[in-house]
Amino acid sequence: MKSADLQVIHQNAFYTLSIDRSVPATHIVWHGFISSADFRVACQQSYELMREHRFTLGISDARHLRIISLADQQWFMDEYVPLVRALGLGALYSAVIMPLDFFGRQSVDSLASTLNAGGELASVTDPIVTQYFDTEDAARLWLQQIASTLAAAVNERELPPEAPTGEIWSLAA
């Protein structure tokens, strides 16, 4: 990936939030330990990017993440996930680059198991599909494939190939 593909929106000692134009997607890089306040601000800023640009794809580079507190994990599930779902964007796709740190990995694993367990957060129509990777290139490639598939599906819905040009057609059977 070229650095020109990333448009930095916010950067501080704890995280860098960007738009990755090669996908397109939100892209957050965690820089180690993050306080509760900074974690929640980062999530809020990510939400704002999703809302403003209608992003359904995101990369979370957690390689240097140290830990997410249990309270922040609960806040993420109780507050952030329902807020993102309320955007009505449909299915969301998240590529997570796994932490190298043991405690960071445990935090991500805990969030993943809670999210995958579903319950009231599960949604058949608006799932959050998350895949885990060891490299940024693999994460980006997966999201680019998803973006390509979604774009093709939208194009197919705009004008079915069997519809004659210049005539009225219907998608109803």
Side-chain angles (χ1 to χ4, degrees):
M1 177 202 55
K2 299 175 289 225
S3 61
D5 289 336
L6 289 179
Q7 176 188 348
V8 175
I9 303 301
H10 184 83
Q11 184 170 16
N12 63 25
F14 308 107
Y15 63 93
T16 301
L17 179 63
S18 306
I19 294 174
D20 186 334
R21 288 179 260 199
S22 74
V23 177
T26 60
H27 186 274
I28 192 160
V29 178
W30 303 100
H31 301 303
F33 176 79
I34 186 161
S35 70
S36 181
D38 286 309
F39 176 76
R40 294 174 189 208
V41 167
C43 289
Q44 180 65 32
Q45 290 172 335
S46 180
Y47 165 82
E48 292 298 331
L49 276 182
M50 292 173 69
R51 186 182 56 75
E52 180 180 338
H53 296 280
R54 310 298 291 167
F55 286 135
T56 59
L57 308 172
I59 296 174
S60 179
D61 185 344
R63 284 178 284 194
H64 301 290
L65 181 70
R66 300 297 301 231
I67 194 166
I68 301 170
S69 73
L70 292 176
D72 286 335
Q73 291 178 45
Q74 193 65 49
W75 173 86
F76 185 86
M77 298 307 298
D78 293 346
E79 303 293 330
Y80 181 74
V81 170
L83 186 66
V84 168
R85 282 227 170 94
L87 287 172
L89 298 174
L92 303 174
Y93 300 87
S94 177
V96 177
I97 306 164
M98 289 300 286
L100 302 171
D101 178 77
F102 173 79
F103 295 108
R105 189 173 284 270
Q106 280 193 314
S107 294
V108 170
D109 285 344
S110 176
L111 274 174
S113 65
T114 303
L115 188 59
N116 292 334
E120 71 279 359
L121 295 175
S123 171
V124 174
T125 57
D126 296 334
I128 298 176
V129 180
T130 305
Q131 290 290 322
Y132 302 93
F133 301 91
D134 291 324
T135 68
E136 186 173 344
D137 288 341
R140 183 172 290 103
L141 178 62
W142 179 71
L143 286 179
Q144 287 170 334
Q145 290 169 343
I146 298 291
S148 178
T149 300
L150 293 174
V154 166
N155 289 337
E156 287 176 14
R157 277 186 267 148
E158 289 177 357
L159 182 63
E162 66 278 359
T165 306
E167 294 182 22
I168 297 174
W169 53 272
S170 172
L171 293 177

